Structures are given as C-alpha cells and as structure tokens.
Amino acid sequence: MIKKILIANRGEIAIRVMHTCREMGIKSVAVFSEADRNSQHVRLADEAYFIGPAASAESYLVIDTIIDVAKKSGADAIHPGYGFLSENATFSDRCREEGIIFIGPTSDVISVMGDKISARKKMIAAGVQVVPGTKENIENDEDAIRIVKEVGLPVMIKASAGGGGKGMRLVREEKDIISGVRAAKSEALAGFGDDTVYVEKFVENPHHIEFQVLGDSHGNVIHLFERECSVQRRHQKVIEETPSPLMTPELRAIMGKQAVMAAKAVNYVGAGTVEFLVDDDLNYYFLEMNTRLQVEHPITEQVTRVDLVRQQIQVAAGMEIEYKQEDLFQQGHSIEARVYAEDPCSNFMPSPGLVKNHQAPQGPGIRIDGYVYSNYEIPIHYDPMISKLIVTAKNRKQAIERMKRALYSYKISGVRTNIRFLNRIMESEDFASGKYSTAFIDKNIDYLIQKESHSEEHDKLAVMASFIHYLNNNAVAKKDEDTEECNTSEWKSFGKRKSLMRF
Ligand code: MV4
C-alpha cells in the first residue's frame, strides 16, 4: 500500500493531489524551488523539500533531485501532476528502477503516445479511426509532392515529435507544399531535435473533444465521457465543459468505445485522455493521447462524482478501478474557466506579480482549484494561471448563469486578469447557443475584448461614483488600482468599482 507520495509539481495541481492524499490517509511530500518558498503547496504538505533555483530546468525538471528527495523522505510513490515530468518516459523508468511507484503509465506507453507517427500506427492497428493521412516520414521534396497529392489538399503537415500545435503547417495549395513541409521540418528540428513530419487531411473547423479514460493493471479500461475543449487560444484551452453541446448519445457511445480501444491497445494503466477532432458532420478522428491527469479533469469529476486522483493512486498501487462502465453516468453540467494573470487587451501578455487581494467566489455549485492568496506574488517563472473556476449545475443554461455569477464576484487586485474576457465568452451568442468550434475565439475576438457598452444606468452610476471619488480624495483609487478593463479612463473605471456602486 502507498503511505507517502511525493508530488513533483507546484501550484494548484500539487494542492489538488494533496487533498486526495489527506482523505486517503497518505502523507504528502512537497518540493519547491527558490520562487516557491511562500507557495501554498508547501504549506499544505506534510513535508516540504527545497530543490533549487526558480528556473524549472534547474528544479522541477531535475530527475536526480526529485528521486533523491523521494528516497530521503521515504515516499513510496511520485505523482507528477501535469506538465514538468508528467510525460517524461525517462522519469517513469527511473522511478521504477529506484523502486518508487510512478503514478502514471510506463515509459513504453509514454513513448508510443509521445511520438505521433507511432501512435497513429498503434491506433490504426487497434481499429481506432484516425485522421486520413500517412504514417511515414516525408524524406524529400519529391516525397512531399507525391504524398500530399495522395492524401489530397488541403492537408496538415505535422511533426511526429510534436503536439499542441508546434511544428504544424496547413497547406491549401499545390504551390505551398514544399515550403510548408520545409517550414514544418525546420520548426520540428528546432523544437524537438527531430524533423520527422507526416501528412493528415485537414479537418475544417473542427471541435476538440476529448475522452477521459482510466485503466488498471488487471486489464480493465473504462471511459468517463467527454470534455468539450474547443474554446482555445493559440492551442491554450480557456474554457472546457461537459457534456459537449455537440454530442449525441450515439456519438458518445461510439467515441467512448474508441477511447477505450485506444487505451486497451497500449495496456494503459492510470488516468489518460484520448483527444479527437470532430467536424460539423460529426465525423470523429483520433488526434493524440495525453498520458497524464489534465488541467481540465475537475469537470469530469463534477459530473461523474469520481475522484480521478484517488483512482490514479489506487490503480498505481495495483488495485482495480472502483467503477464499472455501466455504473457511470453524467449528472448535470460542468464548466471550467481558466483564470489567468494576463491582459487580454495587450495581446494576452502575462501579468504576474503581487496579488494584493484575492477573493474567490463562493456558494452553490462552485469549485475553485487554485493556490493564490491575498498578498501572494505570482512568480514570473511559471505559467501565470491564478485558478480554475469550476461551476456545476443542473443543465448547461444554469451552468452558464452560475459561471457569470461566479465571475462577477471574483475579486482580484494588483494584477491584470482575464476575468472580464471569460465573462464575455459566457455572454457571446455562439457560446450560449453551444454552436462553436475551435474557430470560436478568432471569430469573436473583437466582441470578446471590446469595452463594455455605455448604458444610461451606467453613466448615472459613474457620475455618482465620481462624486464619491471626489469626496474620498482619491484614497480608494490609490489603494486599489484598476485591473479590469481595456483603455479605461480613471473616471469610468471608478464607476465600475462595485464596492462604491453599492451606495
Ligand atoms: C488538426 C486540425 C485540422 N486537421 N489536424 C492543433 C493542435 C494539435 N494537437 C492538433 N491541432 C489541429 N490538428 C487536422 N488534420 C486542426 C487543429 C487545430 C486545433 C485542434 C484542436 C484544438 C484547437 C485547434 C486549433 C487550431 C487547429
């Protein structure tokens, strides 16, 4: 049995794992870099060890150091969270060599799925539907022309070592084939040290829909339904929801089966995610498999009531999954919004720094997976995510209403945030109707980052507020600088200060 887990991560996901450890009576060991001395994950752990400089290449990514701490602390297992070492085959292997349980799949599974050509081959052999295309490297210009013509324009040229959009080129016209392949190859070589690329038919306006899977070492594999992740910006997810508004019961059943087939094909043990592209005619295609717990896992937990981290820990310890497929169903609707310290008005520039005040929403149906507290300084060295705001309600409409209410009462000062942008997504027609694809943000960007409209009511409030401002002689404005809006005049932003609007 596992008695102590080292969590090789930081921030909200380290805390998320600790919550389940405590419920299971498992001791948790935190590791922290120079930049994370004051981090919440250090305070919540049973033990914490310093592992080096702020740069993750010198701390969270150093395998020897993490293994040393695991041994020193007597941890029987390591949970890698997401990012950092979570999909590192060498690390998974090293843990096993050292007699430490890696809470995740074996190195061979990570390697097969990490290489897109080998993943495609595996999936095709297992009967999983992949995007039409090839499973061979493009060696030269003649190859490029021949293979692309075979597949048929338009095509996507993709790096085999890639993922997440890196080393990827869309080619629509014959004259762009050679330059497209060369560009993809050089980006792949620079990014991954491997210029192997392959060709897929381009799927127009796709939806990104992924299935959560769980496998155990007794050969059981189940899926926990889908997550709709089409609201993305530059391959970064912004909003995720489940159930997907695009899904039908029939499509869910067949895609769920496909996801289970994908996991079974590699004897998958642990929590994983099978990603698909789905077009407007509901054709679905396997895209890739992520061999880790994902950022957006909470929405699946909310509608299935399954603690995915508990299942990860139990199957890593050799136990069977606690659920049978037929026992699982989705209840209600859950939406996650990723709250970031960034400025949507300045091309989403990161805005880390001192969070003066952090007041998260509360009340029915709200879950916050976060780590930021008032007077915490968000380090510049890592992803500037502040928290994940997860709402759950009876149906989609009420979940959206709940998300708007939660965003309204989320108070963060000191850093710029994307809260207003998230609210705009909730208010957009395309999102409200559920008819959106991966083109959503680009298509709606003007609406999403535009200033609030001036209503008459608003103007009256602004006049009142400016009078109070005058009476306060700037005291409030100085205390709590505006963090909410694009190009705000002092006057207008003051009118929006809700503490004053209550008069
Ligand atoms: C595609 C595609 C269309 N056709 N492949 C982007 C990230 C990488 N994991 C795969 N991606 C895509 N692959 C074919 N054959 C469109 C995308 C894509 C996309 C996919 C999922 C979510 C958002 C996206 C945004 C742009 C392009």
Side-chain angles (χ1 to χ4, degrees):
M1 219 23 237
I2 294 174
K3 293 203 186 72
K4 193 185 262 194
I5 295 176
L6 182 150
I7 299 152
N9 216 303
R10 62 178 300 283
E12 68 87 15
I13 194 61
I15 292 168
R16 162 69 193 90
V17 173
M18 282 173 205
H19 289 325
T20 293
C21 287
R22 196 164 292 274
E23 287 180 16
M24 294 176 76
I26 295 169
K27 293 266 183 270
S28 58
V29 179
V31 292
F32 63 97
S33 72
E34 190 62 56
D36 279 336
R37 289 191 181 281
N38 298 316
S39 220
Q40 187 92 306
H41 79 280
V42 174
R43 302 181 185 184
L44 286 172
D46 291 298
E47 300 168 34
Y49 292 80
F50 177 69
I51 54 164
S56 41
E58 296 174 65
S59 48
Y60 295 106
L61 289 170
V62 182
I63 293 176
D64 284 335
T65 310
I66 304 283
I67 297 284
D68 274 355
V69 173
K71 290 186 160 171
K72 216 183 293 170
S73 63
D76 347 84
I78 296 181
H79 194 301
Y82 52 71
F84 296 133
L85 295 169
S86 62
E87 291 179 284
N88 185 307
T90 308
F91 184 56
S92 173
D93 247 354
R94 182 68 191 283
C95 289
R96 265 162 247 259
E97 280 164 24
E98 303 280 352
I100 300 162
I101 296 170
F102 177 73
I103 302 177
T106 52
S107 66
D108 51 313
V109 173
I110 295 174
S111 300
V112 166
M113 289 305 185
D115 181 272
K116 306 304 156 200
I117 290 184
S118 73
R120 270 171 76 77
K121 286 181 178 161
K122 264 272 184 237
M123 294 304 107
I124 292 166
V128 176
Q129 186 165 294
V130 303
V131 188
T134 62
K135 29 181 190 174
E136 57 190 301
N137 181 29
I138 298 180
E139 303 273 2
N140 50 49
D141 292 349
E142 293 85 73
D143 260 14
I145 304 276
R146 178 179 54 80
I147 291 171
V148 170
K149 283 189 171 170
E150 270 170 31
V151 174
L153 289 166
V155 297
M156 260 323 199
I157 316 287
K158 293 188 175 182
S160 188
K166 248 196 173 173
M168 201 172 79
R169 279 289 181 290
L170 168 60
V171 177
R172 286 196 180 273
E173 294 178 52
E174 205 176 319
K175 66 171 172 53
D176 300 326
I177 296 173
I178 289 172
S179 60
V181 169
R182 285 186 185 167
K185 274 192 177 287
S186 72
E187 200 175 308
L189 189 63
F192 319 110
D194 175 356
D195 76 349
T196 309
V197 298
Y198 66 103
V199 179
E200 281 181 7
K201 185 87 188 161
F202 179 62
V203 180
E204 301 275 358
N205 253 348
H207 291 250
H208 174 132
I209 297 182
E210 58 187 31
F211 274 71
Q212 177 70 54
V213 295
L214 272 176
D216 66 28
S217 55
H218 305 267
N220 303 301
V221 178
I222 60 169
H223 74 83
L224 296 96
F225 313 104
E226 80 281 7
R227 293 185 287 259
E228 169 70 66
C229 304
S230 294
V231 181
Q232 307 202 355
R233 192 189 151 270
R234 307 223 169 133
H235 307 299
Q236 293 275 66
K237 292 167 188 156
V238 179
I239 301 281
E240 304 95 352
E241 63 174 319
T242 187
S244 164
L246 187 75
M247 198 57 69
T248 64
E250 296 74 31
L251 185 61
R252 179 175 294 119
I254 183 82
M255 288 179 71
K257 272 211 185 91
Q258 291 261 310
V260 168
M261 278 161 63
K264 279 195 169 157
V266 291
N267 301 315
Y268 199 84
V269 178
T273 297
V274 183
E275 292 185 1
F276 295 91
L277 291 181
V278 183
D279 69 18
D280 288 331
D281 299 324
L282 302 189
N283 297 304
Y284 60 87
Y285 308 100
F286 169 88
L287 198 59
E288 43 195 79
M289 181 168 185
N290 301 315
T291 56
R292 59 169 191 275
L293 187 71
Q294 291 199 249
V295 177
E296 60 273 23
H297 77 277
I299 59 174
T300 298
E301 297 189 317
Q302 293 306 114
V303 300
T304 62
R305 301 159 311 281
V306 174
D307 179 337
L308 289 168
V309 174
R310 177 185 280 267
Q311 296 311 304
Q312 281 189 301
I313 293 169
Q314 290 179 177
V315 302
M319 291 165 68
E320 286 196 56
I321 304 165
E322 262 186 275
Y323 302 85
K324 297 271 169 263
Q325 188 70 56
E326 56 271 24
D327 300 334
L328 292 173
F329 58 95
Q330 296 160 295
Q331 179 174 313
H333 197 99
S334 188
I335 305 175
E336 172 177 285
R338 298 192 189 184
V339 177
Y340 267 87
E342 66 182 15
D343 184 2
C345 303
S346 302
N347 200 26
F348 298 86
M349 198 203 292
S351 174
L354 185 67
V355 175
K356 281 191 251 166
N357 188 35
H358 180 265
Q359 199 179 336
Q362 298 182 333
I366 289 185
R367 165 175 172 181
I368 305 272
D369 280 23
Y371 76 112
V372 168
Y373 52 89
S374 295
N375 289 315
Y376 173 73
E377 188 169 345
I378 300 173
I380 58 166
H381 308 277
Y382 315 105
D383 185 61
M385 189 165 74
I386 294 172
S387 71
K388 305 185 302 201
L389 167 56
I390 302 121
V391 300
T392 310
K394 185 171 195 303
N395 54 40
R396 186 168 192 271
K397 185 169 172 285
Q398 290 177 23
I400 293 172
E401 288 164 356
R402 184 159 277 169
M403 181 61 90
K404 289 186 201 168
R405 182 262 292 182
L407 290 168
Y408 178 84
S409 55
Y410 205 151
K411 303 286 162 54
I412 300 169
S413 64
V415 297
R416 300 223 158 239
T417 78
N418 66 340
I419 289 176
R420 202 167 275 266
F421 176 75
L422 295 169
N423 190 57
R424 272 283 161 139
I425 295 175
M426 291 300 124
E427 287 180 341
S428 77
E429 260 169 51
D430 284 353
F431 189 81
S433 69
K435 290 183 176 36
Y436 65 89
S437 73
T438 49
F440 171 76
I441 289 185
D442 284 342
K443 187 170 162 245
N444 290 284
I445 192 68
D446 290 342
Y447 176 80
L448 297 176
I449 64 176
Q450 102 191 22
K451 293 192 279 180
E452 296 290 290
S453 68
H454 263 290
S455 70
E456 231 178 283
E457 224 108 25
H458 212 124
D459 285 345
K460 275 188 215 151
L461 276 171
V463 170
M464 279 160 51
S466 74
F467 182 59
I468 294 157
H469 185 196
Y470 164 73
L471 291 179
N472 279 351
N473 196 20
N474 282 324
V476 178
K478 275 184 190 132
K479 231 189 294 176
D480 199 6
E481 86 196 42
D482 176 67
T483 56
E484 294 206 290
E485 203 176 356
C486 310
N487 321 313
T488 42
S489 68
E490 199 189 339
W491 189 74
K492 187 174 166 208
S493 67
F494 195 75
K496 284 199 172 161
R497 213 171 291 293
K498 291 175 187 102
S499 57
L500 290 172
M501 284 163 73
R502 288 212 187 89
F503 278 94

